[in-house]
Amino acid sequence: MQELSCTVRGNHYKLPSPFFVLATQNPIELEGTYALPEAQLDRFLFNTVLDYLSADDEVKVVDLTTTTHRRAGRPCTSARKSSISRNWFAWCRSANLWLVT
């Protein structure tokens, strides 16, 4: 991702700045997953672990996600604002400044 590009099925794509990556760690052949090497763990902002849903919750998920009705979303920020924030945090990190609450 440092190259600001990716290749999917042989097609090369340039990524806009900033870009967002959503990664999943799926079981391989239902045998579990391979742990990421230590050098790659810092590339992710957070880790969310999802357990199996109850039968009632599965029905709710299907009801909420299987529809022809489309909801319109609205942006909560812009690429410019995100870049400004990213640059500000990078500057704080380089200046060894941290916010304590």
Side-chain angles (χ1 to χ4, degrees):
M1 291 293 133
Q2 222 172 347
E3 298 81 16
L4 297 177
S5 64
C6 67
T7 303
V8 179
R9 294 185 176 179
N11 296 318
H12 189 74
Y13 300 95
K14 293 282 184 190
L15 299 173
S17 182
F19 63 91
F20 177 78
V21 175
L22 181 65
T24 61
Q25 189 176 17
N26 297 322
I28 298 171
E29 301 290 330
L30 302 175
E31 296 286 330
T33 59
Y34 294 105
L36 286 172
E38 189 71 29
Q40 293 180 357
L41 290 176
D42 65 346
R43 298 178 185 185
F44 298 94
L45 182 62
F46 58 88
N47 178 30
T48 303
V49 178
L50 300 174
D51 287 329
Y52 287 103
L53 298 174
S54 68
D56 289 339
D57 287 338
E58 280 190 43
V59 171
K60 287 179 188 175
V61 168
V62 171
D63 287 343
L64 292 171
T65 60
T66 309
T67 180
T68 57
H69 176 71
R70 298 188 70 122
R71 293 182 120 161
R74 60 177 168 62
C76 61
T77 188
S78 66
R80 182 178 176 280
K81 288 179 185 177
S82 180
S83 291
I84 290 169
S85 297
R86 183 181 59 193
N87 293 338
W88 184 81
F89 281 111
W91 177 83
C92 288
R93 193 174 330 134
S94 68
N96 204 20
L97 299 174
W98 295 103
L99 298 176
V100 178
T101 59

